[in-house]
Amino acid sequence: MKRYITVAGNIGVGKSTLVELLCARLGWQPFYEPEAHNPYLSDFYQDMAAWGFHSQVFFLANRLQIHRQIILFPGSVVQDRSVYEDAEIFAANLYRQGYLSERDYATYRALYQGIVEFLPPPDLVIYLRARPETLMERIARRNRDYERGISREYLEALNDLYEHWIESFTLCPVLTVPADHLNYVAHPRHLELVVRKINEKLAGKEEVIFDPQEIAQI
């Protein structure tokens, strides 16, 4: 049976790493964030209010293409960040900051909601939850030039939107992973625990949680 899992979470939380490890462990196909160059980015950084709408529509179109590729792929897949996050987190954050006007944001939301109704949802969303301190530490550790200007306040704002989104998300089951306390790179047994919880969720078990004592024992 084909399975479609998407890994969601804030910048630096460890999505790509988990996608890579899960695919190696399960023999599934990874689908990472699209690398297509956004032709609006340079204009956007010079005038965010003028080009925010154009930039977000490009990202949305690109993410929809990836979603379509996933649906057409014959085998099981694990996706790094979903189409839902583009709209519910990043476009919403631009709107909150005043870089998307009321009119542009309403148009964007109408486009997004109209399309999402026709998209087959994943079988499972894995939501990696972490405190801003953890995110800042991991971002600093990977030392990417374009991430050096990310502030704690920005991560807090995104975390707030993530929590709001995940509370109201009903398109498929959600497995929330306490990423502050799990290091699946350094501790293979942490990865095995995550895989076990994923299998329980995919098997239909409703209440699947990570007990702190269970984590501490491994």
Side-chain angles (χ1 to χ4, degrees), residues 86-97:
D86 272 33
E88 305 292 351
I89 312 302
F90 294 96
N93 190 57
L94 284 180
Y95 172 65
R96 282 188 174 188
Q97 292 181 320

Side-chain angles (χ1 to χ4, degrees), residues 10-29:
N10 207 338
I11 301 165
V13 76
K15 295 182 301 299
S16 299
T17 300
L18 183 58
V19 169
E20 180 181 0
L21 292 172
L22 286 177
C23 288
R25 170 68 173 72
L26 300 170
W28 295 2
Q29 177 68 30

Side-chain angles (χ1 to χ4, degrees), residues 3 17-18 20 23 64 76 92 99 108 121 138 156 186 197:
R3 293 294 194 179
T17 300
L18 183 58
E20 180 181 0
C23 288
L64 289 169
S76 294
Y99 295 129
Y108 177 90
R138 292 178 182 175
E156 286 177 342
K197 300 293 186 181

Side-chain angles (χ1 to χ4, degrees), residues 175 193-201 208-210 214:
L175 175 65
L193 177 62
V194 172
V195 170
R196 178 155 56 86
K197 300 293 186 181
I198 290 172
N199 286 331
E200 289 177 6
K201 203 70 178 175
V208 178
I209 61 171
F210 289 82
E214 184 180 28

Side-chain angles (χ1 to χ4, degrees), residues 174-195:
V174 174
L175 175 65
T176 299
V177 176
D180 288 314
H181 307 295
L182 287 172
N183 187 339
Y184 28 77
V185 176
H187 303 292
R189 292 178 69 182
H190 285 188
L191 178 64
E192 291 303 316
L193 177 62
V194 172
V195 170

Side-chain angles (χ1 to χ4, degrees), residues 72-103:
L72 294 176
F73 188 78
S76 294
V77 306
V78 185
Q79 180 187 21
D80 180 359
R81 188 169 279 153
S82 67
V83 64
Y84 313 111
E85 291 161 86
D86 272 33
E88 305 292 351
I89 312 302
F90 294 96
N93 190 57
L94 284 180
Y95 172 65
R96 282 188 174 188
Q97 292 181 320
Y99 295 129
L100 283 177
S101 69
E102 189 81 38
R103 179 180 60 179

Side-chain angles (χ1 to χ4, degrees), residues 130-149:
R131 296 175 295 114
E133 292 83 2
T134 300
L135 300 174
M136 292 293 289
E137 177 186 331
R138 292 178 182 175
I139 289 169
R141 192 184 306 146
R142 65 191 188 187
N143 196 30
R144 296 174 180 172
D145 289 341
Y146 61 88
E147 292 181 340
R148 288 177 182 169

